[in-house]
Amino acid sequence: MAGDRCPRCGGGFHCGVADATPCPCSGVQLSPALLASLRSRYTRCLCLACLRTLAAAEQAQDAVPEPANGKA
């Protein structure tokens, strides 16, 4: 669909889900928990930039080690 708007940032983008080739978003790795959260918040596709930002934020959050014995 040409002329889609991302419900997260409002930016215009092209959703490639109905294209003959795989949509570029299929290469973005999102955890099942993040996917579920996004599906509960949004009914339409997000742009590739937002998906990449969310994936990077999730990876950065996962990379932060837990404090030992609950101390920072």
Side-chain angles (χ1 to χ4, degrees), residues 5-69:
R5 288 242 169 250
C6 177
R8 182 173 179 263
C9 72
F13 74 104
H14 171 75
C15 175
V17 73
D19 291 352
T21 59
C23 184
C25 74
S26 64
V28 179
Q29 295 296 315
L30 303 173
S31 72
L34 180 55
L35 282 172
S37 174
L38 293 175
R39 287 182 180 130
S40 72
R41 278 191 248 159
Y42 305 107
T43 57
R44 299 185 336 257
C45 294
L46 274 62
C47 69
L48 187 56
C50 280
L51 291 174
R52 286 180 175 156
T53 298
L54 291 165
E58 182 179 48
Q59 287 177 352
Q61 182 180 8
D62 289 345
V64 174
E66 292 291 324
N69 297 324

